Amino acid sequence: MSESEAGYLLILGAYRDNEVFPAHPLMLILKELQKRDANLNTLMLAPLDETDITCLVADTCHQEEGLGVG
């Protein structure tokens, strides 16, 4: 991946920061990428609230919000 002609690579990862310790393989890879001046972007997401979960479940079940299942 160090060749300048390699093109582009997009890696998406998701993890819970309270479950990943500094010696975790993912953290080691991110640290190494930072050393190599890789373009890294981190998004910190807030927990879903009840409304978000209701929308997610309704969409997954192909239901309109507010309608009971069954």
Side-chain angles (χ1 to χ4, degrees), residues 35-53:
K35 284 184 197 175
R36 295 175 186 236
D37 292 326
N39 184 8
L40 299 177
N41 295 299
T42 303
L43 299 174
M44 302 288 289
L45 302 177
L48 298 174
D49 62 21
E50 186 176 339
T51 303
D52 296 325
I53 294 170

Side-chain angles (χ1 to χ4, degrees), residues 6-50:
Y8 299 94
L9 174 66
L10 173 64
I11 299 174
L12 299 175
Y15 63 93
R16 293 182 179 107
D17 59 353
N18 64 333
E19 296 179 359
V20 182
F21 51 94
H24 189 279
L26 175 63
M27 294 295 109
L28 297 175
I29 290 170
L30 292 175
K31 189 174 184 178
E32 184 63 31
L33 289 170
Q34 287 174 337
K35 284 184 197 175
R36 295 175 186 236
D37 292 326
N39 184 8
L40 299 177
N41 295 299
T42 303
L43 299 174
M44 302 288 289
L45 302 177
L48 298 174
D49 62 21
E50 186 176 339

